[in-house]
Short mmCIF file of all heavy atoms in Angstrom, two decimals:
data_model
loop_
_atom_site.label_atom_id
_atom_site.label_comp_id
_atom_site.label_asym_id
_atom_site.label_seq_id
_atom_site.Cartn_x
_atom_site.Cartn_y
_atom_site.Cartn_z
N HIS B 86 -8.84 -56.04 -71.29
CA HIS B 86 -7.55 -56.80 -71.19
C HIS B 86 -7.60 -57.93 -70.08
O HIS B 86 -7.79 -57.63 -68.91
CB HIS B 86 -6.37 -55.78 -70.83
CG HIS B 86 -5.07 -56.34 -70.99
ND1 HIS B 86 -4.81 -57.36 -71.91
CD2 HIS B 86 -3.93 -56.22 -70.18
CE1 HIS B 86 -3.62 -57.81 -71.74
NE2 HIS B 86 -3.01 -57.05 -70.67
N GLU B 127 -13.57 -65.28 -77.13
CA GLU B 127 -13.16 -65.77 -75.79
C GLU B 127 -14.28 -66.20 -75.08
O GLU B 127 -14.12 -67.00 -74.13
CB GLU B 127 -12.31 -64.79 -75.00
CG GLU B 127 -11.09 -64.27 -75.84
CD GLU B 127 -10.10 -63.41 -75.10
OE1 GLU B 127 -10.01 -63.57 -73.87
OE2 GLU B 127 -9.42 -62.57 -75.74
N ASN B 182 -8.85 -62.23 -82.23
CA ASN B 182 -7.91 -61.22 -81.91
C ASN B 182 -7.70 -60.19 -82.93
O ASN B 182 -7.34 -60.68 -84.13
CB ASN B 182 -6.52 -61.75 -81.46
CG ASN B 182 -6.61 -62.40 -80.17
OD1 ASN B 182 -7.35 -63.38 -79.98
ND2 ASN B 182 -5.86 -62.01 -79.21
N GLU B 191 -0.76 -52.69 -74.14
CA GLU B 191 -0.85 -53.64 -73.12
C GLU B 191 -1.11 -55.13 -73.75
O GLU B 191 -0.86 -56.15 -73.16
CB GLU B 191 -1.95 -53.39 -72.11
CG GLU B 191 -3.29 -53.42 -72.79
CD GLU B 191 -4.55 -52.99 -71.91
OE1 GLU B 191 -4.30 -52.62 -70.78
OE2 GLU B 191 -5.59 -52.80 -72.50
N LYS B 192 -1.50 -55.10 -75.03
CA LYS B 192 -1.91 -56.29 -75.70
C LYS B 192 -0.61 -56.82 -76.54
O LYS B 192 0.27 -56.04 -76.74
CB LYS B 192 -3.09 -56.16 -76.66
CG LYS B 192 -4.20 -55.41 -76.09
CD LYS B 192 -5.19 -56.56 -75.40
CE LYS B 192 -6.35 -55.78 -74.63
NZ LYS B 192 -7.22 -54.87 -75.22
N LEU B 193 -0.56 -58.10 -76.81
CA LEU B 193 0.58 -58.63 -77.39
C LEU B 193 1.25 -57.87 -78.49
O LEU B 193 2.43 -57.56 -78.36
CB LEU B 193 0.34 -60.07 -77.87
CG LEU B 193 1.51 -60.88 -78.41
CD1 LEU B 193 2.48 -61.40 -77.38
CD2 LEU B 193 1.10 -62.02 -79.27
N PRO B 208 8.47 -59.75 -73.33
CA PRO B 208 8.14 -60.80 -72.44
C PRO B 208 7.14 -61.76 -73.00
O PRO B 208 5.93 -61.41 -73.02
CB PRO B 208 7.39 -59.98 -71.33
CG PRO B 208 7.11 -58.77 -72.02
CD PRO B 208 7.90 -58.44 -73.23
N TYR B 210 4.91 -65.06 -72.67
CA TYR B 210 4.29 -65.90 -71.52
C TYR B 210 4.65 -67.36 -71.86
O TYR B 210 4.34 -67.70 -72.99
CB TYR B 210 2.82 -65.72 -71.31
CG TYR B 210 2.39 -64.24 -71.02
CD1 TYR B 210 1.10 -64.02 -70.86
CD2 TYR B 210 3.32 -63.26 -70.71
CE1 TYR B 210 0.64 -62.74 -70.61
CE2 TYR B 210 2.88 -62.06 -70.36
CZ TYR B 210 1.54 -61.62 -70.30
OH TYR B 210 1.10 -60.46 -69.99
N ARG B 217 -3.47 -67.79 -81.40
CA ARG B 217 -4.59 -66.70 -81.55
C ARG B 217 -4.73 -66.60 -83.13
O ARG B 217 -3.85 -66.79 -83.93
CB ARG B 217 -4.16 -65.42 -81.00
CG ARG B 217 -3.97 -65.37 -79.46
CD ARG B 217 -5.19 -65.73 -78.74
NE ARG B 217 -5.09 -65.60 -77.27
CZ ARG B 217 -4.85 -66.49 -76.47
NH1 ARG B 217 -4.61 -67.88 -76.90
NH2 ARG B 217 -4.71 -66.44 -75.09
N ASN B 252 2.02 -67.37 -80.45
CA ASN B 252 2.55 -66.15 -79.86
C ASN B 252 3.99 -66.00 -80.24
O ASN B 252 4.46 -64.82 -80.67
CB ASN B 252 2.49 -66.13 -78.26
CG ASN B 252 0.97 -65.98 -77.90
OD1 ASN B 252 0.13 -65.62 -78.80
ND2 ASN B 252 0.81 -66.37 -76.66
N ARG B 276 0.55 -66.37 -68.01
CA ARG B 276 -0.76 -65.75 -67.49
C ARG B 276 -1.48 -67.03 -66.82
O ARG B 276 -1.55 -68.10 -67.38
CB ARG B 276 -1.58 -65.19 -68.65
CG ARG B 276 -3.00 -64.95 -68.30
CD ARG B 276 -3.75 -64.52 -69.66
NE ARG B 276 -3.39 -63.27 -70.22
CZ ARG B 276 -3.69 -62.88 -71.38
NH1 ARG B 276 -4.39 -63.56 -72.20
NH2 ARG B 276 -3.16 -61.64 -71.76
N ASN B 279 -4.26 -69.20 -68.97
CA ASN B 279 -4.02 -68.74 -70.29
C ASN B 279 -4.77 -69.66 -71.31
O ASN B 279 -4.33 -70.79 -71.51
CB ASN B 279 -2.58 -68.43 -70.63
CG ASN B 279 -2.29 -67.70 -71.86
OD1 ASN B 279 -3.20 -67.25 -72.57
ND2 ASN B 279 -1.10 -67.42 -72.32
N TYR B 283 -7.44 -70.16 -79.87
CA TYR B 283 -8.77 -69.63 -80.43
C TYR B 283 -8.64 -69.85 -81.91
O TYR B 283 -7.71 -69.48 -82.46
CB TYR B 283 -8.80 -68.13 -80.09
CG TYR B 283 -8.75 -67.76 -78.65
CD1 TYR B 283 -8.15 -66.43 -78.38
CD2 TYR B 283 -9.45 -68.34 -77.68
CE1 TYR B 283 -8.07 -65.95 -77.04
CE2 TYR B 283 -9.37 -67.89 -76.39
CZ TYR B 283 -8.69 -66.78 -76.05
OH TYR B 283 -8.61 -66.33 -74.85
N TYR B 336 5.16 -56.69 -65.17
CA TYR B 336 6.27 -57.35 -65.55
C TYR B 336 7.50 -57.25 -64.76
O TYR B 336 8.48 -58.01 -65.12
CB TYR B 336 6.62 -56.73 -66.99
CG TYR B 336 5.42 -57.01 -68.03
CD1 TYR B 336 4.50 -56.01 -68.26
CD2 TYR B 336 5.32 -58.33 -68.76
CE1 TYR B 336 3.48 -56.31 -69.13
CE2 TYR B 336 4.41 -58.44 -69.72
CZ TYR B 336 3.41 -57.49 -69.91
OH TYR B 336 2.52 -57.68 -70.83
P1 TYD K 2 -3.42 -60.59 -75.55
O1 TYD K 2 -3.01 -59.60 -76.59
O2 TYD K 2 -3.62 -60.06 -74.08
O3 TYD K 2 -4.94 -61.07 -76.15
P2 TYD K 2 -5.80 -62.23 -75.45
O4 TYD K 2 -7.06 -61.55 -75.03
O5 TYD K 2 -6.06 -63.11 -76.75
O6 TYD K 2 -5.15 -62.97 -74.49
O7 TYD K 2 -2.63 -61.89 -75.56
C1 TYD K 2 -2.39 -62.70 -76.60
C2 TYD K 2 -1.63 -63.87 -76.25
O8 TYD K 2 -0.27 -63.36 -76.07
C3 TYD K 2 -1.81 -64.50 -74.91
O9 TYD K 2 -1.54 -66.06 -75.06
C4 TYD K 2 -1.00 -63.97 -73.82
C5 TYD K 2 0.26 -63.63 -74.69
N1 TYD K 2 1.06 -62.49 -74.21
C6 TYD K 2 2.43 -62.60 -74.01
O10 TYD K 2 3.02 -63.75 -74.23
N2 TYD K 2 3.14 -61.58 -73.57
C7 TYD K 2 2.50 -60.29 -73.27
O11 TYD K 2 3.15 -59.35 -72.83
C8 TYD K 2 1.14 -60.24 -73.57
C9 TYD K 2 0.41 -59.00 -73.25
C10 TYD K 2 0.41 -61.20 -73.94
#
Side-chain angles (χ1 to χ4, degrees):
H86 190 36
E127 300 191 29
N182 288 62
E191 64 189 350
K192 308 276 169 62
L193 179 74
Y210 298 172
R217 299 294 185 259
N252 294 340
R276 168 187 290 168
N279 196 357
Y283 303 140
Y336 296 94

